Amino acid sequence: MIENKSGNVRRETRLSRASRYGLLASLFMLIAVSEYLYPGFLMPQNIRNILGQSAPTGIVAVGMTFVMITGGFDLSVGSIYAAGATIYASLAVAGWSLPEAAVATIAIGSLAGLTNGLIVTRLKVNPFVATLGTMSAFSGVALIYSNSSPFIAPDPAFAVLGRGKMLSIPISIWILLAFLVAGQLVLSRTVYGRQLYAIGGNDEASRLAGLRTAALRTSTYALSGACASIAGMLIASRLGMGQADIGAAMALDAIAVVVIGGTSLLGGEGSIWRTAIGLLIVAVLTNLLDSLAISSHYQLVIKGTIVIGAVAVDSFIRSRR
């Protein structure tokens, strides 16, 4: 019995190491291939462009990681992202100061996420169905609010968040790094983070242990909504306008990043540093495909295939455990 248990532990350790280092190996291999096919790929300017362009997706993916660790799912992030861009630009155009517009936008995004959480935890609606419904509802509200027209903000100060630089590095990259570091610390070093892992691992056992599972799950959706609205502010600042029909692929991109990073769809497993690796893989792949002039239609096929492969690998590892 002891030998059998020891063998299981060794096998699980090997699988965990293979998953962890396999992810890093895939990233390095992809970078090497990109540099070979596209000389100049590793130029500092190109790296800054890659990270700056992927910052909104990375921020949304941080919030998505929290949701998925608890076993949840959020398809509405694309709509909240577009609504955040629209609201932030509209308030700036209306004469609000940028800090006031930012606070209001984040509050509305958090409220949208809170709505998702309450539908899932209080009304007991499946997360996929709940957020599929709110995705449509939030998108409709944003289109009604904007009358299907963009809000153009010509003020140069509005562009600082999305196009400004600090120490020769885009501010959007600094914001992304702040979210990644903060998210990793919260999940790995706080009681709240450990509680989220516990809920994702075994919801009923966590509830019997005294954890407020419904409130904790709901908080992750509110966090996801806040992250999506902040990402919307970044893209609005970069474009100089906000409109309600952007972000159609944001949910797919964020889910791809998180799943490729190894966060399980069943909950209980995942980390922000792995999400960061997943973000780099998707960002490098997208940059390479763009550089090779691969059609966006084919890119969607490739990304979808990668997501399916990542889920299949996760299922295989779980079954072997």
Side-chain angles (χ1 to χ4, degrees), residues 113-138:
L114 179 64
T115 301
N116 283 333
L118 292 175
I119 293 173
V120 170
T121 60
R122 300 302 180 186
L123 299 183
K124 307 299 183 184
V125 179
N126 179 276
F128 183 89
V129 176
T131 57
L132 180 64
T134 56
M135 175 184 70
S136 177
F138 296 155

Side-chain angles (χ1 to χ4, degrees), residues 191 195 198-199 202-216:
V191 173
Q195 289 174 335
I199 292 171
N202 192 320
D203 183 86
E204 183 63 17
S206 299
R207 187 184 65 80
L208 293 175
L211 296 185
R212 300 175 61 189
T213 56
L216 288 166

Side-chain angles (χ1 to χ4, degrees), residues 178-264:
F179 270 80
L180 292 173
V181 171
Q184 179 63 32
L185 290 176
V186 169
L187 284 177
S188 63
R189 300 295 179 87
T190 67
V191 173
Y192 174 71
R194 290 193 290 272
Q195 289 174 335
L196 297 184
Y197 282 110
I199 292 171
N202 192 320
D203 183 86
E204 183 63 17
S206 299
R207 187 184 65 80
L208 293 175
L211 296 185
R212 300 175 61 189
T213 56
L216 288 166
R217 282 183 186 277
T218 301
S219 70
T220 63
Y221 285 96
L223 176 62
S224 178
C227 288
S229 63
I230 292 171
M233 289 164 48
L234 282 183
I235 196 63
S237 177
R238 182 189 301 165
L239 298 176
M241 66 176 185
Q243 57 189 93
D245 59 355
I246 63 172
M250 176 55 78
L252 173 61
D253 289 344
I255 292 169
V257 164
V258 177
V259 171
I260 290 170
T263 297
S264 175

